[in-house]
Amino acid sequence: MSIPELPVKINVKTTIDQDETFELLVFGTYFEKGNAAYLRYEEVMEEGSVRTIVKMGIDAALILRGGAVKMRLPFEVNRRLNGSYEMPFGQFATETMVKKMDYSYENGKGSFSVLYDFSMEGAAKNTYELEIVFQEENK
C-alpha cells in the first residue's frame, strides 16, 4: 500500500570534485509507490521553472527534470549508465558511474546520497556527491 503524498522540506547539496558546492532549499512532496520512494519539487532558475522528480530505491535511483532544463540521470551501483541533459541550445549524452549510494526514511525524515562519476559527451569526468536530506513539514 502506498502512503499519501507528504509535504516535505528538502535540502539538496551537490559537491563537484570536493571543491565546488551548490546548495538548494526547497519545499516539495514525498511519496512511496511500488518498491521505490519519490521526492518531487520545483525550482526557479534563470532559464525558467524546473520540475524535478527523484526516484530512490535500494539498488537504483533516477533523477528526472523537466521544464527549462530536461534531464534524465540514472544511478545504479557499479554500473555505467547513459542519460541525457537537454538545454535550449541542444541535447547532450551523459554517463554516470556510481561508487556509493544510500537511501533511508524513518519517522518523517529521510536522506538520499550518491557519490558518482559524471561525464557529458565523453568529456573528462568529474566526481559528484549529491546529498538530499528531507523532513516532513509540521502541520
Side-chain angles (χ1 to χ4, degrees), residues 9 26 34 47 55 58-59 66 70 74 78-79 82 84-85 94 108 111-112 114 127 130 132-134:
K9 182 166 73 175
V26 291
E47 300 89 344
K55 177 182 178 184
I58 302 297
D59 303 319
K70 292 180 179 59
N78 293 324
R79 282 200 58 208
N82 296 321
S84 62
Y85 193 91
T94 63
S111 68
F112 171 71
V114 59
T127 299
L130 173 66
I132 300 176
V133 177
F134 56 98

Side-chain angles (χ1 to χ4, degrees), residues 23-60:
E23 209 155 342
L24 171 72
L25 182 63
V26 291
F27 293 90
T29 56
Y30 169 85
F31 61 98
E32 294 175 354
K33 189 174 169 187
N35 58 358
Y38 297 81
L39 282 175
R40 182 175 18 218
Y41 61 89
E42 196 164 318
E43 63 185 287
V44 179
M45 305 170 80
E46 285 179 28
E47 300 89 344
S49 182
V50 178
R51 293 173 315 281
T52 301
I53 294 176
V54 182
K55 177 182 178 184
M56 305 164 287
I58 302 297
D59 303 319

Side-chain angles (χ1 to χ4, degrees), residues 113-130:
S113 64
V114 59
L115 180 66
Y116 63 101
D117 287 336
F118 174 85
S119 68
M120 193 176 331
E121 292 291 322
K125 69 179 190 250
N126 296 86
T127 299
Y128 281 66
E129 184 171 7
L130 173 66

